[in-house]
Amino acid sequence: MRLRLNALIGGTLMALVLGTAITSYVWTPQNPLRIAMRARLNAPSAAHWLGTDEVGRDVVSRLMAGAGTSCLVAALTVLVAVALGSAIGLVAGFTRGWVDRMLMLVNDALLAFPGILLALGLLAVMGPSQWGIVAALGLAYTPTVARIVRGSVLSIREREFVEASVSIGNSAAYTMWRHVLPGTVSPLIVLATSLFGWAILAESALSFLGLGVPPPAPTWGNMLAAARPYLETAVWLSLAPGACIALTLLGVNLLGDALRDHLDPRSRPQ
């Protein structure tokens, strides 16, 4: 019952978020970049369902466009982290020896830094941009993926089918790709779901600090940053993007829990 409820609520929320993000690339109620100073800071109305911002831009349209930007950044971040982390963890766990020790030494050194702090340092060098934040967050989350994949590989490499593949003369690269990597898919799916939520939150935080996607392109984070001076006079400017971030994280966490319980029955509560 708990598994079905988590899957239903989490899946519904994520379907709404992703559906809105995809729709924003082809349609929004109004142009999210159009400035209309005569309509600045209008309260929610029939013309503007969630009001307008400090330069008269429609908040609903900017939320939709922000969903597209934030989800794209998060998805690309997960792709970069999973690709790099899987390669590192696979090689380290399968080869063992000095290769494993050296790779994990560097990996553990990077894990000592919080992901957001590492991303801040990288963005200070690369400068704020959409692709810069993807690279920074992707590299920041790579050590976590590498550690998880290595743990799975260490268990899989001792199984009979892997030893059989090596004994009949298959190369290490073929064995890793054909027999070992598929066994890491389940934990990777669960981790990728969590990473998506972490990336959404991190991108919002970095955009809030001015190190994310630069304006006028809307993201939930820079919408929150722009709303700070108007917390008392136009509260809807901060409530709307804040609620979007909170609901997205809720959906990701519930969906991640459901996927974990489905893929690993041992984690289900007795």
Side-chain angles (χ1 to χ4, degrees), residues 216-230:
T219 69
W220 293 337
N222 63 29
M223 289 178 69
L224 277 175
R228 276 184 298 175
Y230 308 99

Side-chain angles (χ1 to χ4, degrees), residues 129-223:
S129 68
Q130 179 171 315
W131 302 113
I133 198 170
V134 167
L137 290 177
L139 292 174
Y141 293 140
T142 292
T144 302
V145 179
R147 176 59 71 178
I148 296 295
V149 171
R150 176 182 177 271
S152 297
V153 171
L154 287 176
S155 173
I156 297 170
R157 73 186 296 273
E158 304 300 331
R159 296 182 181 176
E160 292 79 2
F161 61 86
V162 175
E163 295 178 356
S165 176
V166 174
S167 66
I168 63 176
N170 289 329
S171 65
Y174 177 85
T175 301
M176 285 190 289
W177 176 261
R178 181 67 178 83
H179 299 290
V180 179
L181 184 60
T184 67
V185 170
S186 293
L188 269 179
I189 290 174
V190 177
L191 180 60
T193 305
S194 299
L195 282 178
F196 187 87
W198 299 351
I200 289 279
L201 185 60
E203 184 276 327
S204 299
L206 292 171
S207 294
F208 183 83
L209 296 173
L211 291 173
V213 180
T219 69
W220 293 337
N222 63 29
M223 289 178 69

Side-chain angles (χ1 to χ4, degrees), residues 12-24:
T12 300
L13 288 174
M14 290 311 300
L16 288 173
V17 171
L18 294 177
T20 300
I22 295 171
T23 302
S24 70

Side-chain angles (χ1 to χ4, degrees), residues 231-256:
L231 286 175
E232 294 184 1
T233 57
V235 68
W236 61 86
L237 293 182
S238 56
L239 284 179
C244 288
I245 295 171
L247 290 174
T248 301
L249 293 179
L250 176 62
V252 167
N253 287 331
L254 291 176
L255 187 59

Side-chain angles (χ1 to χ4, degrees), residues 91-92 95-106:
V91 172
T95 57
R96 302 294 299 273
W98 67 270
V99 174
D100 179 33
R101 290 193 295 271
M102 292 300 296
L103 287 175
M104 287 302 103
L105 180 65
V106 176

